[in-house]
Amino acid sequence: MRTDLRISWDIPATPPGLAGRLERFMGPGKSRSESVVETVGLLGCTALLAAGVWHSGVARDWSTAQLVVVALAGLDLIGGVLTNATNAAKRWYHRADPPARRARLLFVSAHLVHLAAMGLFVLSGDLAWTLANAALLLGGAVTVEFAPVHLRRPVAMAALMAAVLINLFWLPLPLALAWFAPLFFLKLLVCHLVPEAPLEAGRDD
């Protein structure tokens, strides 16, 4: 038994109204250190992504609207990977509440909008890319969500790797967008759907 670690599923109360809804969306009770890591990670990885996209040269051929879509997708995916990996998000999205499963699957399904925006707008109407990734997303999500709980982590990793490999070899994108599939499926299939225990450092009684 690990005495230096403890697991806490306690979800703090949230305020009413918009503030409470936002806090629940991000995960109630986020610690200051979690917020610091999220902020530093978001700023650092966004800067790396922006530099890489610009260095590729492809972005110079995009319209302003396409640049905006790519920028918003990058911010959402980087921020989403970090937020969904926090203890606060794990407690909330994997709480012992029957509607939680539906909420997780609805959250994942809402990201079909990301695929539509990238495939039909940034990729100039690439319907095959859009539909193939939609199938990978929904199929992977259902597989992870309904797997036995002790297998969800390796099942999610297998689904992530399969989606990334299929994108690399059969649904390739320009170098400036090669980051999209790995971050997209990492955020949703692993960070969001895997019910990991919210670990904290043990405290002396």
Side-chain angles (χ1 to χ4, degrees):
M1 180 176 178
R2 294 287 300 267
T3 58
D4 58 328
L5 297 174
R6 73 184 187 100
I7 297 172
S8 174
W9 287 100
D10 296 332
I11 300 173
T14 54
L18 180 61
R21 287 195 293 271
L22 180 61
E23 192 171 332
R24 288 189 293 274
F25 180 74
M26 302 292 286
K30 188 181 299 181
S31 68
R32 182 176 298 177
S33 56
E34 285 179 318
S35 296
V36 169
V37 171
E38 280 187 75
T39 302
V40 173
L42 178 62
L43 292 174
C45 291
T46 299
L48 289 171
L49 178 60
V53 169
W54 188 254
H55 180 72
S56 72
V58 176
R60 296 175 179 84
D61 298 325
W62 290 338
S63 66
T64 300
Q66 287 173 316
L67 281 170
V68 169
V69 170
V70 172
L72 291 176
L75 285 169
D76 178 78
L77 295 182
I78 292 171
V81 166
L82 295 167
T83 297
N84 281 277
T86 62
N87 279 347
K90 293 298 182 183
R91 289 189 192 102
W92 178 249
Y93 284 107
H94 294 276
R95 63 195 183 278
D97 184 14
R101 166 169 282 173
R102 186 180 70 169
R104 288 193 296 272
L105 291 174
L106 286 174
F107 179 86
V108 171
S109 299
H111 287 73
L112 293 173
V113 174
H114 292 56
L115 295 177
M118 292 295 293
L120 303 180
F121 189 62
V122 178
L123 300 177
S124 303
D126 193 337
L127 188 61
W129 182 92
T130 304
L131 294 177
N133 276 290
L136 288 170
L137 175 65
L138 297 179
V142 170
T143 302
V144 174
E145 185 62 43
F146 289 93
V149 67
H150 68 288
L151 295 177
R152 286 184 196 170
R153 186 185 293 111
V155 167
M157 295 299 182
L160 165 67
M161 290 188 290
V164 170
L165 290 170
I166 288 170
N167 271 272
L168 284 174
F169 292 110
W170 291 279
L171 302 168
L173 292 180
L175 178 62
L177 295 174
W179 50 270
F180 181 85
L183 295 185
F184 182 78
F185 290 103
L186 173 62
K187 172 187 175 180
L188 298 170
L189 299 184
V190 177
C191 295
H192 186 70
L193 289 180
V194 175
E196 296 174 306
L199 284 172
E200 298 177 353
R203 298 175 184 173
D204 295 330
D205 295 330

